[in-house]
Amino acid sequence: MEAVPLQDFVRALDPETLPRVLRVCSGVYFEGSIYEISGNECCLSTGDLIKVTQVRLQKVVCENPRTSQTMELPRNFKGYFTPLNTPQSYETLEELVSATTQSSKQLPTCFMSTHRIVTEGTVVTEDQLLMLEAVVMHLGIRCARCVLGVEGQQVILHLPLSQKGPFRKWEPSTPRTLLQVLQDPALKDLVLTCPTLPWHSLILRPQYEIQAIMHMRRTIVKIPSTLEVDVEDVTASSQHVHFIKPLLLSEVLARQGPFPLSTEILEVPERRPIFLSPWLGSLQKGQRLCIYGLASPPWRVLASSKGRKVPRHFLVSGAYQGKLRRRPREFPTAYDLLGAFQPGRPLRVVATKDCEGEREENPEFTSLAVGDRLEVLGPGQARGAQGNDMGVLVCQRLSDQAGEDEEEECEEEAESPERVLLPLHFPGSFVEEMSDSRRYSLADLTAQFSLPCEVKVVAKDSSHPTDPLTSFLGLRLEEKITEPFLVVSLDSEPGMCFEIPPRWLDLTVVEAKGQPDWPGGSLPIATVEELTDTFYYRLRKLPACEIQAPPPRPPKSQGLSKQRRHSTQEGGVKSSQVLGLQQHALLPKPKAKTLPEFTKDGSSMYSKIPAHRKGHRPAKPQRQDPDDDEHDYEEILEHFQKTI
C-alpha cells in the first residue's frame, strides 16, 4: 500500500477491519520537544509502528467553500444533507451535453460549475445551480441555453459549448444524516447543502481521534487524525510484531498476578532515595527482578532509635521475629498522658520536674513536685476563671512509699484518694511506672498496647543476620502503617528478598521471557529497612501517621495584663527597679551548685535530677526567697545602683 496522509487513511478506514498496523513514512516533530498536548500525541518519528485499535469521531467542521468560513457541528447534529454534485466531472459543457444525451436521461439537466463564470453581464458563482434546457445556435455559435435563478427570477444565459469547467451534474438524492454522509466514501469532500444551516453550499471536514498501541508506551496512545503525517498500512507483513508494553509496579500490584513474575527495569523514578539499603543501588535500568507477590502481613511499624544525639528511623515489617521488652514511656505534657490512656489499663506515672499549678484559673489545679506519683483516671471538664469549660486530665495521687505494704496503701487510697486535676496544656514532665519484664513479639505488642511505645530489642530476628535494632538502648515505636508491599529479589541474588512499596518506589518494568522458579521453603525477607530523614518526615505526614491535635493553648494570665497596666502608670521609678532585676538575673551562680548530687539510695533518684542538661535548653531561673539567699547580692546591687 502506498503512503497516504493520516487523515485520508482514517476517512477511508472500515472500522470492521481493525486492528491495523501502520508505519510512519513521513514523521512530524512539534517544536519545543513536546510529545503530547492535551493528552494527544503530536510527534511521530519516521519508521514508528502504530497499531490502530479504535477510531472515534471527535468533531465535524463545516466549511463554506466560497468564503472559507468554518463552524463546528456537534456529533448529534439533527439536520439532513443533500449532495450538490457528483464525483463525475466534465471539462467542458460539450462533454456534459454528450454524456447526458447518450444516457437514458435527456435534457433538461442540472449542473454546477466549480469555477466562477462571467457572461452577458452576469456572474455565475461556483455554488449556483444551472439548468441546461437545450443546445441552440446563438450569434452563430453553438451554445447551451441555461436557466439561472437569481432572487426569485429566472435569467436566460447562452453559454458556448466550448466553455471550460470542470462541471458537475446535480441529481436529486435522498437526504442523509451527518453520520450517513461521513460513512459514505463516495461523498467524501463533496459539496453539500443543508436547509437548517445558513450556507447554501458547504463541505464537511471530520476530525477523528485514533487510539493505538506503540512500542514502549505504557498507556493507549491518542493521535489526532489532523496530524500532518503520512502512513502506510503494513498489517499483512507485521503479524509477527509484538508491541512491548511497560508496566508500573503499581499496575503489577493492582492486577494481582500471576506470580512469580520475571521483569526487567526500564526506568527508575528520579527522586530522593527512601531507604538506606544496599539493594537500592542495584535498582537500575536493565536489572532483572523477580516479583513473588504481595508481602504479608501488609502493616509496618515506624520506629526511631533513642539514646543517640541523631536518631535513626526504621520501617519494621509485621513479619519481624525479634523479641521486644517494654520500656517506661516519657510524657512531656498532660495532653500526651491523655493520648496514652486506655480505659481498663492502669497508667501510673512519676513527675520528673516541679511545676506550679494554675490556681488563679481553678483552685483545684494542683502543683506537682519531682517524685510525685500519679495514676491517670481519664479525661474530665473543669470551669476556668472566666466561666468557660476546659478539658482536664483527672488523676489520683499515689503514696510515695512503696514496698511490702503496697496492698494496704492501695486500700487506703481507695478509701480517701486525693484527686488531682491537670489542664491539658499543663507543661509537666512524666515518666511511666512499670514492672513488665515480659518479652513480646512485634505483633503481640502492637495488639496489646497503643502506640507510641518505648521498647528494647532483647533478641534479634534470626532471619535478619544484620538486624540493626539490637544495637540501640531503646526504640520508640511511633505509628502502625498499612501499605501494600511487593516481595522482590534481584535476578543475580535470588536468595535474598526485600520489599518494595509501589506507592513510593514505582519502578517501570517490562515482562521478561522465562518463568522463574519458586524457591523452596519460606522466602528470606529483610524485615527492617532504614529510612532517610526526608522520607521519614514524609511518612509522618500521612493520614495514618497523623498524631492527635496539639493541646489547647493555655488561657491568658489576668495577673500579667494587670501588671503591664500597672507598670505603665509608675513610669521611671518602675524602670529603675526593672534594671535592678535584670542585673540581678545576670549575676553568676556559684559553681558548687552546678553539678548534681548522687546518692546510693535509688528511691530518691527523681529528686536528684539536674536542672541543666547538655543539649537541652536550661530552665528559667526561679525566684529565690531573700531570707534563704546565701550570697550578698543585695549589697552588690545597692553599690551598683549608687554608681549609676
Side-chain angles (χ1 to χ4, degrees):
M1 178 180 179
E2 297 182 356
V4 295
L6 181 62
Q7 176 76 8
D8 294 345
F9 174 82
V10 176
R11 289 288 304 273
L13 179 64
D14 183 5
E16 299 296 331
T17 63
L18 293 178
R20 310 294 296 178
V21 180
L22 308 180
R23 177 187 290 116
V24 178
C25 298
S26 176
V28 60
Y29 180 75
F30 191 87
E31 185 178 359
S33 299
I34 301 176
Y35 291 87
E36 190 173 306
I37 296 179
S38 301
N40 292 327
E41 197 76 11
C42 64
C43 292
L44 294 175
S45 301
T46 302
D48 282 349
L49 291 180
I50 305 171
K51 186 175 183 179
V52 181
T53 58
Q54 192 173 6
V55 175
R56 292 181 177 180
L57 179 65
Q58 290 292 100
K59 61 182 178 180
V60 178
V61 177
C62 179
E63 179 183 350
N64 187 337
R66 289 187 57 193
T67 63
S68 298
Q69 292 179 322
T70 60
M71 69 171 65
E72 185 174 329
L73 300 180
R75 289 181 294 179
N76 57 351
F77 181 71
K78 301 300 182 182
Y80 290 89
F81 298 86
T82 303
L84 292 178
N85 51 27
T86 61
Q88 182 66 37
S89 62
Y90 305 92
E91 294 298 326
T92 62
L93 275 178
E94 188 173 3
E95 292 182 8
L96 175 63
V97 172
S98 176
T100 303
T101 55
Q102 292 178 4
S103 64
S104 59
K105 296 182 180 179
Q106 300 296 323
L107 299 178
T109 184
C110 295
F111 70 97
M112 295 177 62
S113 173
T114 58
H115 298 282
R116 188 176 64 167
I117 302 175
V118 180
T119 180
E120 298 179 0
T122 304
V123 177
V124 181
T125 61
E126 61 269 19
D127 63 340
Q128 288 183 301
L129 192 65
L130 293 169
M131 184 174 66
L132 195 156
E133 292 184 329
V135 178
V136 297
M137 296 293 296
H138 180 69
L139 300 178
I141 302 174
R142 293 185 67 203
C143 296
R145 189 176 65 188
C146 303
V147 178
L148 174 66
V150 179
E151 296 180 355
Q153 299 180 357
Q154 292 185 347
V155 179
I156 303 298
L157 299 178
H158 291 85
L159 301 178
L161 295 182
S162 60
Q163 179 72 43
K164 294 184 178 181
F167 301 99
R168 295 180 184 273
K169 283 185 178 182
W170 179 82
E171 298 177 357
S173 60
T174 304
R176 306 187 186 186
T177 64
L178 177 62
L179 291 180
Q180 288 174 340
V181 172
L182 297 179
Q183 293 172 357
D184 190 350
L187 300 180
K188 175 185 175 183
D189 295 334
L190 290 185
V191 179
L192 308 172
T193 184
C194 179
T196 58
L197 294 177
W199 304 327
H200 175 67
S201 60
L202 52 93
I203 298 176
L204 298 180
R205 304 197 182 281
Q207 296 182 11
Y208 298 88
E209 178 190 80
I210 303 171
Q211 296 188 6
I213 300 174
M214 296 183 66
H215 273 304
M216 307 304 292
R217 299 298 292 269
R218 191 170 48 83
T219 58
I220 296 295
V221 179
K222 298 179 180 180
I223 306 173
S225 62
T226 55
L227 200 63
E228 296 180 359
V229 58
D230 294 339
V231 296
E232 177 186 5
D233 192 339
V234 293
T235 305
S237 60
S238 303
Q239 299 295 328
H240 64 284
V241 175
H242 175 65
F243 288 84
I244 299 176
K245 180 183 178 182
L247 292 171
L248 291 174
L249 287 187
S250 56
E251 296 174 340
V252 176
L253 179 66
R255 73 182 193 180
Q256 298 182 354
F259 298 115
L261 178 65
S262 182
T263 61
E264 181 178 331
I265 298 178
L266 294 179
E267 185 179 1
V268 180
E270 296 181 359
R271 61 180 62 181
R272 294 182 178 180
I274 61 175
F275 296 139
L276 297 176
S277 302
W279 55 262
L280 194 65
S282 302
L283 301 183
Q284 299 179 0
K285 183 178 179 180
Q287 174 67 52
R288 295 175 68 95
L289 301 176
C290 182
I291 304 175
Y292 292 102
L294 191 64
S296 179
W299 56 271
R300 306 289 185 278
V301 173
L302 193 62
S304 297
S305 64
K306 296 182 68 67
R308 296 192 178 186
K309 293 182 180 180
V310 180
R312 295 166 62 182
H313 311 290
F314 301 90
L315 198 61
V316 186
S317 170
Y320 181 73
Q321 298 299 320
K323 295 299 180 181
L324 314 172
R325 183 174 291 160
R326 295 176 60 209
R327 296 179 71 248
R329 292 175 288 180
E330 297 177 0
F331 306 98
T333 65
Y335 189 77
D336 296 294
L337 280 175
L338 178 61
F341 173 73
Q342 288 183 311
R345 292 183 179 272
L347 177 59
R348 295 184 177 184
V349 296
V350 178
T352 58
K353 76 173 184 179
D354 299 332
C355 194
E356 185 177 354
E358 300 176 355
R359 293 187 177 275
E360 66 276 4
E361 187 70 25
N362 190 310
E364 294 189 64
F365 289 169
T366 310
S367 300
L368 294 179
V370 174
D372 284 351
R373 301 173 63 239
L374 301 176
E375 181 175 355
V376 180
L377 300 181
Q381 292 286 332
R383 188 168 297 275
Q386 300 180 359
N388 57 327
D389 292 336
M390 55 189 305
V392 297
L393 183 68
V394 182
C395 302
Q396 174 180 316
R397 190 185 299 273
L398 302 177
S399 173
D400 294 338
Q401 299 179 357
E404 300 178 355
D405 300 331
E406 182 71 23
E407 297 180 359
E408 297 179 2
E409 292 176 3
C410 293
E411 294 177 0
E412 293 177 0
E413 291 173 0
E415 295 175 358
S416 57
E418 179 184 351
R419 191 177 72 158
V420 177
L421 298 183
L422 301 179
L424 295 183
H425 59 266
F426 185 75
S429 180
F430 309 92
V431 64
E432 183 180 13
E433 266 192 357
M434 59 174 296
S435 58
D436 188 0
S437 60
R438 180 183 170 187
R439 292 154 50 118
Y440 296 88
S441 66
L442 183 62
D444 292 340
L445 187 69
T446 54
Q448 298 182 30
F449 302 98
S450 62
L451 299 182
C453 181
E454 306 285 342
V455 299
K456 173 73 171 70
V457 179
V458 294
K460 70 176 184 179
D461 188 348
S462 58
S463 64
H464 199 310
T466 59
D467 186 355
L469 302 184
T470 57
S471 61
F472 301 109
L473 296 178
L475 286 176
R476 177 179 172 85
L477 306 183
E478 296 174 342
E479 290 292 340
K480 191 174 183 179
I481 302 174
T482 301
E483 183 69 24
F485 281 59
L486 287 175
V487 179
V488 180
S489 71
L490 301 177
D491 186 63
S492 57
E493 299 180 12
M496 186 59 191
C497 299
F498 49 91
E499 298 175 345
I500 294 182
R503 178 178 178 183
W504 302 305
L505 189 57
D506 207 2
L507 305 177
T508 303
V509 300
V510 62
E511 293 189 36
K513 295 182 179 179
Q515 187 72 13
D517 297 330
W518 191 276
S522 60
L523 296 173
I525 302 174
T527 54
V528 180
E529 299 291 352
E530 186 170 1
L531 308 178
T532 61
D533 290 344
T534 303
F535 184 59
Y536 165 75
Y537 291 111
R538 180 181 170 189
L539 284 180
R540 296 295 290 167
K541 294 180 181 179
L542 294 179
C545 296
E546 288 181 353
I547 59 175
Q548 299 178 0
R553 299 177 63 181
K556 294 182 179 180
S557 176
Q558 297 180 355
L560 181 59
S561 60
K562 293 179 181 179
Q563 181 180 357
R564 289 179 177 175
R565 289 195 297 269
H566 183 64
S567 62
T568 56
Q569 296 174 1
E570 291 187 0
V573 177
K574 189 67 176 179
S575 63
S576 64
Q577 296 178 359
V578 172
L579 177 61
L581 290 176
Q582 291 177 350
Q583 297 297 332
H584 177 72
L586 293 174
L587 290 175
K589 294 184 178 180
K591 295 184 178 180
K593 295 296 183 181
T594 57
L595 296 177
E597 297 179 1
F598 296 93
T599 62
K600 297 182 179 180
D601 188 2
S603 62
S604 61
M605 61 177 296
Y606 294 113
S607 62
K608 302 301 180 181
I609 296 178
H612 303 278
R613 291 184 180 179
K614 184 178 179 180
H616 295 270
R617 182 178 297 176
K620 295 182 180 180
Q622 299 180 356
R623 295 181 59 187
Q624 297 180 355
D625 191 347
D627 298 335
D628 296 337
D629 197 348
E630 299 178 0
H631 305 280
D632 297 334
Y633 289 142
E634 295 180 359
E635 296 178 2
I636 298 175
L637 287 173
E638 290 176 0
H639 177 71
F640 182 72
Q641 292 176 357
K642 288 178 181 180
T643 58
I644 295 177

